[in-house]
Amino acid sequence: MERLQKVLAHAGVASRRHCEELIVQGRVQVNGKVVRELGTRVDPGTDRIAVDGRPVRLEQHVYLLLYKPTGVITSVSDPQGRRVVTDLLKGVKERVYPVGRLDYDTSGLLLMTNDGELANMLAHPSYEIDKVYRAWVRGVPSPEKVNRLARGIKLEDGMTAPARARLLKTSAAGDRALLELTIHEGRNRQVRRMCEAIGHPVLTLERVKLGFLTLEGLEPGQYRPLTTAEVERLKRGLTRDRKIPPHRR
């Protein structure tokens, strides 16, 4: 469910502010009834919306899983003219946006959608969606350093939450190692900063899993739509798994 004015703006009716004025003026109908409340939420997939009696053609929700390569900006535009993730979505007519972000030099799984409510829930830390990263780091971390990653690392913006960390393998020369980190926070360049803090800077970084979703069957730069079952599973999991802070219970 999304706010009515946002749905109207996305459908190209007018700016969001002007859409709010249309609602207050009683010019918008939802399922045949005039709506004047700005807090009204609607389902673009099922609700019938009209302005001045004329039906509004709504965008259908689209859910895409993109294998973002390195060297691409997680944005829909870039003032410097660099490639952005939407440049990779050839054939997609709907306006979709990235859920969260991956750095320019980080590859991996990125969801793209025009379902604002789902995107906000996936990105919100209270839902604690697992994000699995694999990082080749310089040198070979000791078991104690791997345990430090799991317990939490003190960064300049505070302690990281407990994570799962494991050493997957080392290079034949013993000069680098592959770490797997599972976190649910979304701090800026968090995995890179965590590894830097234990003295093993990241050489390459890839997100390989988000919740139950993986990159299976995709090559860098490719994407696929989520299945109906996958979307429903995501929504069920978000409804069930939200971790509510104690002070808000």
Side-chain angles (χ1 to χ4, degrees):
M1 302 289 283
E2 298 185 48
R3 289 184 180 275
L4 177 56
Q5 58 265 40
K6 181 178 178 181
V7 171
L8 290 172
H10 279 180
V13 172
S15 68
R16 190 175 302 188
R17 183 177 296 276
H18 189 198
C19 288
E20 291 176 350
E21 295 173 357
L22 294 175
I23 294 170
V24 172
Q25 293 167 5
R27 296 169 60 185
V28 180
Q29 302 85 39
V30 177
N31 298 324
K33 296 182 180 180
V34 173
V35 174
R36 296 177 182 270
E37 297 294 328
L38 293 181
T40 300
R41 291 182 174 272
V42 296
D43 184 344
T46 59
D47 289 325
R48 293 177 288 107
I49 303 174
V51 176
D52 294 334
R54 294 190 296 272
V56 175
R57 184 177 179 181
L58 303 177
E59 285 187 339
Q60 293 297 310
H61 281 160
V62 176
Y63 308 89
L64 305 174
L65 191 159
L66 171 68
Y67 190 159
K68 176 195 170 299
T70 57
V72 178
I73 301 292
T74 303
S75 178
V76 297
S77 63
D78 180 63
Q80 299 180 40
R82 294 170 294 182
R83 293 179 76 201
V84 296
V85 288
T86 47
D87 292 334
L88 304 172
L89 305 180
K90 304 302 182 184
V92 178
K93 297 179 181 179
E94 294 83 1
R95 293 172 293 180
V96 294
Y97 306 89
V99 178
R101 64 178 296 106
L102 291 176
D103 297 329
Y104 181 78
D105 48 0
T106 299
S107 63
L109 195 158
L110 184 69
L111 286 183
M112 307 282 294
T113 185
N114 54 2
D115 184 341
E117 183 176 31
L118 181 66
N120 288 336
M121 288 192 292
L122 286 169
H124 199 284
S126 67
Y127 289 92
E128 298 191 358
I129 304 300
D130 281 346
K131 307 176 185 74
V132 182
Y133 294 84
R134 288 187 177 173
W136 278 102
V137 299
R138 183 174 297 128
V140 180
S142 66
E144 171 54 28
K145 288 185 175 181
V146 175
N147 287 335
R148 281 183 60 197
L149 292 173
R151 292 194 304 266
I153 297 290
K154 186 175 182 180
L155 303 177
E156 62 270 20
D157 51 355
M159 286 289 295
T160 61
R164 294 195 296 275
R166 58 179 181 147
L167 179 65
L168 296 181
K169 62 181 178 180
T170 61
S171 65
D175 59 347
R176 58 195 179 101
L178 181 62
L179 289 175
E180 182 177 272
L181 276 172
T182 302
I183 64 174
H184 60 259
E185 297 177 288
R187 303 192 201 184
N188 184 43
R189 301 179 71 83
Q190 180 175 337
V191 172
R192 293 179 183 276
R193 290 190 291 145
M194 290 173 69
C195 293
E196 182 76 34
I198 65 167
H200 295 276
V202 168
L203 302 173
T204 64
L205 180 62
E206 181 170 78
R207 182 158 70 190
V208 297
K209 193 173 182 182
L210 178 67
F212 63 88
L213 296 170
T214 71
L215 294 167
E216 183 179 0
L218 294 178
E219 297 293 332
Q222 294 182 336
Y223 71 92
R224 69 168 178 84
L226 295 189
T227 66
T228 300
E230 287 172 331
V231 174
E232 291 176 351
R233 183 177 173 185
L234 270 179
K235 292 181 177 180
R236 284 198 307 270
L238 290 168
T239 302
R240 182 182 65 247
D241 296 338
R242 186 178 187 185
K243 310 299 188 297
I244 302 175
H247 70 278
R248 295 184 61 183
R249 290 176 180 162

Coordinates of all heavy atoms in Angstrom, one line a residue, residues 148-150 152-153 155 160-161 163 181 183 185 189-199:
R148 N 36.3 -11.2 15.8 CA 36.0 -9.7 16.1 C 35.0 -9.2 15.1 O 34.1 -8.4 15.5 CB 37.3 -8.9 16.0 CG 38.3 -9.0 17.2 CD 39.5 -8.1 16.9 NE 39.1 -6.7 16.7 CZ 39.8 -5.7 16.1 NH1 41.1 -6.1 15.7 NH2 39.4 -4.5 16.0
L149 N 35.1 -9.6 13.9 CA 34.1 -9.2 12.9 C 32.7 -9.7 13.3 O 31.7 -8.9 13.1 CB 34.4 -9.8 11.5 CG 35.7 -9.2 10.8 CD1 36.0 -10.0 9.5 CD2 35.5 -7.7 10.4
A150 N 32.7 -10.9 13.8 CA 31.4 -11.5 14.2 C 30.8 -10.8 15.5 O 29.6 -10.5 15.5 CB 31.5 -13.0 14.5
G152 N 31.4 -7.7 16.5 CA 31.1 -6.3 16.3 C 32.4 -5.5 16.3 O 33.3 -5.8 17.1
I153 N 32.5 -4.5 15.4 CA 33.7 -3.7 15.2 C 33.3 -2.2 15.6 O 32.3 -1.7 15.1 CB 34.2 -3.8 13.8 CG1 34.6 -5.2 13.4 CG2 35.4 -2.8 13.6 CD1 35.9 -5.7 14.1
L155 N 33.5 1.3 14.8 CA 33.8 2.3 13.7 C 33.6 3.7 14.2 O 33.1 3.9 15.3 CB 32.9 1.9 12.5 CG 33.0 0.5 12.0 CD1 32.0 0.3 10.8 CD2 34.4 0.2 11.5
T160 N 29.4 -1.9 15.2 CA 28.5 -2.6 14.3 C 27.8 -3.7 15.1 O 28.2 -4.2 16.1 CB 29.3 -3.3 13.2 OG1 30.3 -4.2 13.8 CG2 30.1 -2.3 12.4
A161 N 26.6 -4.1 14.6 CA 25.8 -5.2 15.2 C 26.5 -6.5 15.0 O 27.4 -6.7 14.1 CB 24.4 -5.2 14.6
A163 N 27.5 -10.0 13.7 CA 27.4 -10.5 12.3 C 27.8 -12.0 12.3 O 28.2 -12.6 13.3 CB 28.2 -9.7 11.4
L181 N 30.9 -12.5 5.0 CA 30.2 -11.7 6.1 C 28.7 -11.6 5.9 O 28.3 -11.2 4.7 CB 30.9 -10.3 6.2 CG 32.2 -10.1 6.9 CD1 32.7 -8.7 6.7 CD2 31.9 -10.4 8.4
I183 N 25.6 -9.5 7.3 CA 25.2 -8.4 8.1 C 23.8 -8.0 7.8 O 23.2 -8.5 6.8 CB 26.1 -7.2 7.9 CG1 26.0 -6.6 6.5 CG2 27.6 -7.5 8.2 CD1 26.8 -5.3 6.2
E185 N 22.8 -4.6 8.7 CA 22.9 -3.1 8.7 C 23.2 -2.6 7.3 O 23.5 -3.4 6.4 CB 24.0 -2.6 9.7 CG 23.7 -2.9 11.1 CD 24.8 -2.5 12.0 OE1 25.9 -3.1 12.0 OE2 24.7 -1.5 12.7
R189 N 29.7 1.8 3.1 CA 30.9 1.1 3.0 C 31.3 0.3 4.2 O 32.4 0.1 4.6 CB 32.1 2.0 2.6 CG 31.8 2.8 1.4 CD 33.0 3.8 1.0 NE 34.2 3.1 0.6 CZ 34.4 2.6 -0.6 NH1 33.5 2.8 -1.6 NH2 35.5 2.0 -0.9
Q190 N 30.2 -0.3 4.8 CA 30.4 -1.0 6.1 C 31.4 -2.2 6.1 O 32.3 -2.3 6.9 CB 29.1 -1.5 6.7 CG 29.2 -2.2 8.0 CD 27.8 -2.5 8.6 OE1 26.8 -1.9 8.3 NE2 27.8 -3.5 9.5
V191 N 31.2 -3.1 5.1 CA 32.1 -4.2 5.1 C 33.5 -3.8 4.9 O 34.5 -4.3 5.5 CB 31.6 -5.2 4.0 CG1 32.6 -6.3 3.8 CG2 30.3 -5.8 4.3
R192 N 33.7 -2.9 4.0 CA 35.1 -2.4 3.7 C 35.7 -1.8 5.0 O 36.9 -2.0 5.3 CB 35.1 -1.3 2.6 CG 34.7 -1.9 1.3 CD 34.7 -0.9 0.2 NE 34.3 -1.4 -1.1 CZ 35.1 -2.1 -2.0 NH1 36.3 -2.2 -1.7 NH2 34.6 -2.6 -3.1
R193 N 34.9 -1.0 5.7 CA 35.5 -0.4 6.9 C 35.7 -1.4 8.0 O 36.7 -1.3 8.8 CB 34.5 0.7 7.4 CG 34.5 1.9 6.5 CD 33.7 3.1 7.1 NE 32.3 2.8 7.2 CZ 31.5 3.2 8.3 NH1 32.0 3.9 9.2 NH2 30.2 2.9 8.3
M194 N 34.9 -2.4 8.1 CA 35.1 -3.5 9.1 C 36.4 -4.2 8.9 O 37.2 -4.5 9.8 CB 33.9 -4.5 9.1 CG 32.6 -3.9 9.7 SD 31.2 -5.0 9.4 CE 31.6 -6.3 10.6
C195 N 36.6 -4.6 7.6 CA 37.8 -5.3 7.3 C 39.1 -4.4 7.4 O 40.1 -4.9 7.9 CB 37.8 -5.8 5.8 SG 36.5 -7.1 5.6
E196 N 38.9 -3.2 7.1 CA 40.1 -2.2 7.3 C 40.4 -2.1 8.8 O 41.6 -2.1 9.2 CB 39.7 -0.9 6.8 CG 40.7 0.2 6.9 CD 41.8 0.1 5.8 OE1 41.5 -0.4 4.7 OE2 43.0 0.4 6.2
A197 N 39.4 -2.2 9.7 CA 39.6 -2.0 11.1 C 40.4 -3.2 11.7 O 41.0 -3.0 12.7 CB 38.2 -1.9 11.8
I198 N 40.3 -4.4 11.1 CA 41.1 -5.5 11.6 C 42.4 -5.7 10.9 O 43.1 -6.7 11.1 CB 40.3 -6.8 11.5 CG1 40.0 -7.2 10.1 CG2 39.0 -6.7 12.4 CD1 39.5 -8.7 9.9
G199 N 42.7 -4.7 10.0 CA 44.0 -4.7 9.3 C 44.1 -5.5 8.1 O 45.2 -5.9 7.6

